Amino acid sequence: MPATSGHLTQQRDTNWFAVLLVGLAALLAMRFAALYANATDLFFDEAQYWAWSEVPALGYYSKPPLIAWIIGAATTACGNGEACVRLPSPLLHTATALAIFWLGRQLYDARIGALSALAFATLPGVSLSAGIISTDVPLLLCWALALVGFWLLLTSDRLWPAVLMGVAFGAGLNAKYAMIWFVVCIAVYLVFSPEKRGLLRDGRLYLALVIGAAMIAPNLLWNYSNSFATFSHTADNANWGGSMLHPNKALEFFGAQFGVFGPVLFGALLVIAWRARKGAGDRERLLLSFSLPIIGFIVLQAFLSRAHANWAAPAYVAATVLVIATMVRDGAWGWLKASFAINIAVLLLLAIGTATAGRVALPLKTDPFARTLGWRGVAEATQAELAIAAGAGKPFAAVLSDDRAMTAELLYYMRDEPTPILAWRVGAPHDHFEMTRPFTASTPAPVLLVRIGETPGAVAGSFTSVEKIADRTLPAGENAQRRVSFYSLAGYKGE
């Protein structure tokens, strides 16, 4: 009888894993198709990461290096088109879903693991993220694998979970410094789980932390040699100066989480958190400890200053498993089906929206895709001005931009243009381009300034000759425009 029971359990596990593989394969195929149908230009962060990938390094001004390495590998294998730059995103999200299956299976069973993985893969935030490339993409995979390793440290005496946790933790730090939240979540879990504090005497925990520290050490050395540029940017991003009371920002961030995690799942998470006041099992404490503290802190950060909707993204690795396990246990199949239906509808809307972006006029005051449309046109207009000047025998020595977004987009969409693209810098650098490709007194004249708007801005005061060449009103979709001006600058007289 026990042998038969074991065989049936194994069969059920195999069936659920097969369901998961079929579901993830279908999602991946659809996301590949959506990437190649995507009509948007690279968002300026994506273009910036691509520019970083062209010069491999141990660090960059605003982020650790993993995102650039990943894009570099993708474009080497696939090419420099937008779809290839973004290609790692759906692949890594699929890998994260498999890691969540592993986590759910270790904590509960294969059914919970498979449903959790499919729920994660169809989260609205993941569906949006799978169509772009960002630092959150590798971070979430590293977080999920590190959490598997941590749970196995608690429940086994084997060494390899420490190696898994350490390598995932170190890779996560190289993806985004938000990985440090993992240590905070461990501390929260141990505070509420005194019976597990023996882990603090387990050398494997410290081995994992040492592995992680060793993996981020090269980036720390890069920061040391570059005046801790990334840490300074991170502090600036927190924006803790000025007024420290922004309840509207906190509410805005909190409300956005219904969109990131899905309205049903986030609502369920709040109910579960409320019920946990009366006590929770060890598995639930673990999952709560690796989700609620992150959300709570970012709400506080938003209240004190500001926060982007994705900043709490790592919380939803554990939260997905927690909510799915609770729904299955409570038999809330109607809510679970409703959640899948809503989230898949969002997924399809995003795929259709990006495929038709810039081709269909939307009945809205502002086009939601306007920030990712029209940049190729700006680059083409810039190259046209360079060609006109060269044809007249007065070629420009460089293209100058005083805006990080413009610099990034020009670098990507003018990647085959031999004329160098430089960043305007006053004082200490404020972005990677100002640090690595600044305009200097040794730059030959004239240079072509490209700006959004109709004036040359503060740059003009540093040159004796400022001549407007052209104004262009360029489309940024069907119902949006971007005003771009071009100036010839010469006679640099210093800042």
Side-chain angles (χ1 to χ4, degrees):
M1 188 68 179
T4 302
S5 176
H7 174 73
L8 290 174
T9 299
Q10 185 178 20
Q11 184 65 38
R12 284 195 296 270
D13 287 0
T14 302
N15 290 343
W16 277 109
F17 188 60
V19 168
L20 172 63
L21 290 181
V22 170
L24 291 181
L27 283 170
L28 187 58
M30 192 193 76
R31 282 173 170 153
F32 280 166
L35 277 186
Y36 284 93
N38 194 327
T40 65
D41 295 336
L42 291 188
F43 186 58
F44 70 81
D45 275 342
E46 297 176 285
Q48 173 182 251
Y49 301 150
W50 172 86
W52 293 355
S53 75
E54 293 291 284
V55 186
L58 294 174
Y60 300 91
Y61 181 86
S62 59
K63 295 289 188 296
L66 186 57
I67 187 67
W69 299 347
I70 290 170
I71 293 173
T75 54
T76 298
C78 176
N80 283 307
E82 290 93 340
C84 290
V85 173
R86 293 163 169 164
L87 185 63
S89 192
L91 291 171
L92 290 174
H93 277 312
T94 302
T96 304
L98 290 170
I100 288 174
F101 167 78
W102 190 9
L103 176 65
R105 190 177 186 280
Q106 290 294 329
L107 286 165
Y108 297 97
D109 55 36
R111 178 174 65 166
I112 299 300
L115 290 173
S116 298
L118 289 171
F120 175 84
T122 54
L123 294 181
V126 170
S127 293
L128 177 63
S129 177
I132 60 175
I133 187 68
S134 73
T135 52
D136 284 331
V137 178
L139 171 67
L140 292 175
L141 174 58
C142 295
W143 188 281
L145 290 173
L147 191 50
V148 172
F150 180 68
W151 176 252
L152 292 175
L153 271 186
L154 293 168
T155 56
S156 77
D157 57 1
R158 291 169 289 181
L159 181 62
W160 70 263
V163 177
L164 172 64
M165 176 182 154
V167 170
F169 180 58
L173 288 172
N174 278 284
K176 194 172 182 178
Y177 294 139
M179 189 71 199
I180 199 66
W181 279 112
F182 198 85
V183 176
V184 176
C185 293
I186 290 175
V188 171
Y189 172 68
L190 294 178
V191 166
F192 289 99
S193 303
E195 72 278 8
K196 299 294 184 180
R197 292 176 194 166
L199 183 67
L200 295 173
R201 298 187 296 274
D202 190 332
R204 296 176 303 155
L205 173 64
Y206 301 102
L207 172 63
L209 295 177
V210 166
I211 291 172
M215 289 178 66
I216 195 61
N219 176 254
L220 297 180
L221 291 173
W222 180 91
N223 266 283
Y224 175 76
S225 64
N226 287 275
S227 304
F228 293 98
T230 316
F231 295 155
S232 298
H233 169 80
T234 302
D236 290 342
N237 219 22
N239 193 34
W240 281 5
S243 173
M244 299 291 276
L245 298 174
H246 301 276
N248 58 320
K249 295 292 185 182
L251 289 172
E252 180 181 320
F253 170 80
F254 186 78
Q257 301 315 294
F258 286 92
V260 173
F261 195 38
V264 174
L265 297 183
F266 192 67
L269 177 62
L270 297 178
V271 172
I272 293 167
W274 180 257
R275 290 176 179 173
R277 297 174 304 118
K278 300 178 180 179
D282 186 43
R283 295 172 298 184
E284 289 70 33
R285 284 200 308 275
L286 175 86
L287 297 171
L288 286 165
S289 297
F290 280 82
S291 53
L292 292 187
I294 302 172
I295 297 169
F297 182 87
I298 304 299
V299 168
L300 177 61
Q301 157 67 26
F303 180 79
L304 295 177
S305 175
R306 63 180 180 182
H308 296 300
N310 66 304
W311 284 7
Y316 299 121
V317 170
T320 300
V321 178
L322 173 64
V323 172
I324 296 302
T326 304
M327 284 184 163
V328 171
R329 183 199 66 197
D330 294 348
W333 294 105
W335 285 109
L336 185 55
K337 290 176 183 177
S339 176
F340 272 112
I342 292 169
N343 293 352
I344 290 172
V346 171
L347 183 156
L348 294 173
L349 283 173
L350 285 170
I352 294 169
T354 55
T356 59
R359 300 169 181 168
V360 177
L362 300 175
L364 302 170
K365 285 186 177 181
T366 57
D367 188 332
F369 297 106
R371 295 177 73 190
T372 58
L373 293 171
W375 291 110
R376 184 187 299 275
V378 172
E380 290 172 351
T382 303
Q383 287 179 301
E385 295 299 336
L386 291 174
I388 291 170
K394 299 178 181 179
F396 287 105
V399 174
L400 179 62
S401 167
D402 63 352
D403 176 73
R404 176 172 66 98
M406 176 66 80
T407 309
E409 299 287 3
L410 292 180
L411 283 169
Y412 178 73
Y413 286 105
M414 293 173 58
R415 56 188 178 273
D416 297 323
E417 169 62 48
T419 306
I421 298 168
L422 305 179
W424 180 250
R425 168 177 160 182
V426 177
H430 295 90
D431 61 55
H432 194 77
F433 303 130
E434 290 187 16
M435 185 170 72
T436 59
R437 51 173 64 239
F439 173 91
T440 66
S442 63
T443 303
V447 296
L448 177 64
L449 173 66
V450 185
R451 288 195 87 243
I452 300 295
E454 299 183 5
T455 68
V459 178
S462 297
F463 293 85
T464 58
S465 174
V466 179
E467 178 187 355
K468 177 176 279 192
I469 298 174
D471 282 321
R472 297 279 186 271
T473 299
L474 302 172
E478 284 293 306
N479 58 352
Q481 295 178 326
R482 185 175 288 114
R483 188 73 169 172
V484 182
S485 56
F486 299 89
Y487 291 83
S488 175
L489 305 180
Y492 179 63
K493 56 185 181 181
E495 298 175 6

